[in-house]
Amino acid sequence: MRDRFASLTARLVGTAVALVVLVSVFVGGATALAMRAYLTHQLDQDVADSSQRALGPGGDGPGFGDPGGRPAPRLGTEVGTVTAELEEGRAPQALVLSERSGASWTAEVAVGDDVVDVLADVPADGRVRGVDLPSLGAYRVVAIDLGDKVVVTGLPADEVGDAVRTLVLGEVVLIVVGGVLALAGSLLLVRRQLRPLREVAETAHTVAALPLESGEIGVTERVPAHLTDERTEVGQVGAALNTLLAHVEGSLDARHASEQRVRQFVADASHELRTPLTTIAGYTELARRRPDDTAVAATALTKVADESKRMTALVEDLLLLARLDSGRPLRRDPVDLTRLLLEAVADARVVGPEHHWRLDLPDEAVEVEGDADRLHQVLTNLLTNARRYTPAGTTVTVTARRGGFSVHDDGPGFDPEVLPHAFERFARADVSRHREGGVGLGLALVEAIVTAHGGTVRLTSAPGDTLVDVRLD
């Protein structure tokens, strides 16, 4: 049963039908009660009027005690009227008018002692009450105390009950018919209103069927525009699904791009490591073939040492990048940035005397929180890049400020096609930078180290104006 009402359509239809039935039952019940009260009030008025007619103009009672022992109801009394006279010292008498036609009437004593006993228990206070008379049914009666006797008059209440039962039966039939119509109408309307939601679900199923495991996958499926109006509930769902699909598509593209970068990184690293390994293997083989040639052996050892040093530096850079990628924290100590800049620029002047090195420092020392060795590596990489990839005579300006520093040169600048990828690993500048050695990890290490310090690095470049701005706060 629970599975049957699992769908939203079934729950909405069930709720609508239940509400219709409940409201109909409430209205029908209220109507039946109101009608019963109205008819009972009317009957009570008739009982009161019948009592007055039975008493007659003189108010002396209905006139019992004729020679035949038969009571004489007055004209105007309704058929089925019960009249009783209760007088001390005299046997109670009661009759029921069973037939009347115009001015002629027929009355008969049709009640027994059990009926008289019930009538005798009615309080003589002039109020109309309901009683159940044996063999006669439900009656509304009133008892009037005339001093020497009590007169009880009543009318049958069966018509009120019959009218109410007929009304209730009709209401039950109408409620059943209304419930069936509500069921059919609700099914039609709910299915029609939920049709856009099914279209949204079809879009989701279509996307779910796409192979998203690997490769370059573009999730081009979207919810139609007419189902994304956020003024409606279905439109909100459609717009949210489109936002989710756009996010998924962006994530898949980013994942694919990351996979491509990893593949390219592995290929570049393999290439960079293969070159020194090939050189080492070649010179080792040369020295082995000429064991007696000391000059060849010395040259081979020198080349093996140089290539080993180069390969060691490359491996150390790769290990540092791996550690930074894994989120391993760096040391956080007070670092005198002014001192680091002075030392780095002094080293650059020795290594690259053909460049013009300028240092712009504030009046007060600049201090930051971080790892001094790693920040020194950032400075060294930036100044090495400025020296290697700019021609002789280029002016390189290092500027310190609170919370960071910048390196500017007036060289030829980055190629516009290379600039967006400058911080990628093994990124290559074009030949205008006059690359002399290096494997393309310098700027990648700069960005990784600065990011690990919680800072940012920004590169802007144009011919004669290249700026690397490092912020550490």
Side-chain angles (χ1 to χ4, degrees):
M1 181 64 70
R2 183 177 298 178
D3 294 339
R4 185 176 302 175
F5 289 95
S7 69
L8 181 60
T9 300
R11 292 199 298 272
L12 290 176
V13 171
T15 301
V17 173
L19 288 175
V20 170
V21 172
L22 288 176
V23 171
S24 299
V25 169
F26 176 78
V27 173
T31 302
L33 291 176
M35 182 176 180
R36 181 183 180 85
Y38 174 77
L39 293 179
T40 300
H41 177 72
Q42 291 294 106
L43 181 59
D44 290 347
Q45 292 291 335
D46 293 342
V47 170
D49 294 342
S50 179
S51 174
Q52 293 299 321
R53 288 195 300 268
L55 291 176
D60 56 353
F64 286 89
D66 62 326
R70 295 175 62 83
R74 302 185 183 278
L75 293 177
T77 304
E78 299 295 334
V79 174
T81 303
V82 61
T83 306
E85 185 179 285
L86 309 173
E87 184 177 356
E88 294 184 5
R90 184 178 179 185
Q93 300 182 64
L95 61 83
V96 175
L97 181 63
S98 61
E99 184 179 352
R100 178 173 177 273
S101 177
S104 63
W105 50 269
T106 301
E108 61 181 357
V109 177
V111 297
D113 294 338
D114 51 355
V115 175
V116 175
D117 293 339
V118 174
L119 294 176
D121 292 335
V122 177
D125 55 2
R127 294 178 57 188
V128 180
R129 288 177 170 80
V131 296
D132 190 9
L133 300 180
S135 73
L136 294 181
Y139 266 74
R140 301 287 292 179
V141 298
V142 60
I144 300 177
D145 189 355
L146 299 180
D148 58 342
K149 60 183 175 181
V150 176
V151 176
V152 183
T153 306
L155 290 174
D158 292 340
E159 292 185 358
V160 174
D162 293 341
V164 173
R165 281 191 294 272
T166 301
L167 175 63
V168 170
L169 180 61
E171 289 176 344
V172 169
V173 173
L174 290 177
I175 289 174
V176 172
V177 173
V180 173
L181 293 177
L183 176 63
S186 298
L187 280 173
L188 179 63
L189 292 177
V190 170
R191 287 179 176 175
R192 182 176 180 180
Q193 294 300 319
L194 292 183
R195 186 182 304 163
L197 195 58
R198 288 194 292 272
E199 294 183 27
V200 173
E202 289 176 1
T203 301
H205 287 306
T206 302
V207 174
L210 294 175
L212 306 178
E213 293 81 6
S214 62
E216 185 176 4
I217 302 170
V219 183
T220 57
E221 193 72 23
R222 291 290 188 275
V223 177
H226 67 279
L227 298 179
T228 58
D229 185 357
E230 296 194 14
R231 293 175 297 180
T232 66
E233 289 78 2
V234 174
Q236 293 173 6
V237 174
L241 182 58
N242 276 352
T243 302
L244 175 62
L245 292 177
H247 176 69
V248 170
E249 185 175 12
S251 300
L252 290 174
D253 291 341
R255 185 199 67 181
H256 178 69
S258 177
E259 291 176 350
Q260 294 299 109
R261 285 195 299 269
V262 169
R263 293 190 182 98
Q264 187 63 41
F265 175 77
V266 172
D268 290 340
S270 301
H271 174 75
E272 294 297 336
L273 289 172
R274 184 178 60 182
T275 301
L277 287 174
T278 302
T279 302
I280 291 172
Y283 278 99
T284 302
E285 181 65 22
L286 177 62
R288 189 174 60 180
R289 289 182 179 181
R290 299 181 182 181
D292 298 330
D293 193 337
T294 56
V296 171
T299 302
L301 289 174
T302 301
K303 294 298 295 184
V304 167
D306 292 342
E307 295 300 324
S308 297
K309 182 179 179 181
R310 178 185 175 191
M311 188 166 56
T312 300
L314 174 60
V315 172
E316 288 178 350
D317 288 345
L318 292 176
L319 288 175
L320 177 58
L321 285 172
R323 286 196 296 268
L324 295 175
D325 288 344
S326 66
R328 185 175 301 179
L330 298 175
R331 294 172 55 188
R332 305 291 291 184
D333 300 320
V335 177
D336 187 348
L337 186 60
T338 302
R339 180 171 172 272
L340 284 181
L341 294 175
L342 285 170
E343 293 177 354
V345 173
D347 294 341
R349 287 192 176 113
V350 174
V351 177
E354 69 280 2
H355 286 68
H356 302 292
W357 302 96
R358 293 180 180 177
L359 184 59
D360 185 4
L361 297 176
D363 296 335
E364 297 180 356
V366 178
E367 189 174 273
V368 296
E369 291 285 333
D371 188 322
D373 293 336
R374 299 282 77 84
L375 291 177
H376 185 271
Q377 186 174 3
V378 169
L379 284 166
T380 301
N381 287 355
L382 291 178
L383 296 180
T384 299
N385 280 355
R387 176 176 56 83
R388 284 181 176 176
Y389 304 134
T390 57
T394 299
T395 299
V396 181
T397 304
V398 180
T399 304
R401 67 175 184 282
R402 183 177 180 84
F405 63 93
S406 62
V407 178
H408 177 272
D409 70 71
D410 57 1
F414 281 81
D415 188 288
E417 295 180 358
V418 176
L419 186 61
H421 312 285
F423 290 104
E424 295 180 3
R425 295 164 193 187
F426 297 105
R428 304 291 189 182
D430 70 2
V431 294
S432 66
R433 280 292 205 166
H434 303 292
R435 181 178 183 273
E436 300 174 2
V439 294
L441 292 179
L443 289 180
L445 280 169
V446 168
E447 183 183 45
I449 294 172
V450 172
T451 302
H453 279 81
T456 58
V457 57
R458 183 173 59 90
L459 170 64
T460 58
S461 182
D465 183 16
T466 298
L467 176 69
V468 179
D469 186 66
V470 176
R471 295 180 181 273
L472 298 173
D473 55 351

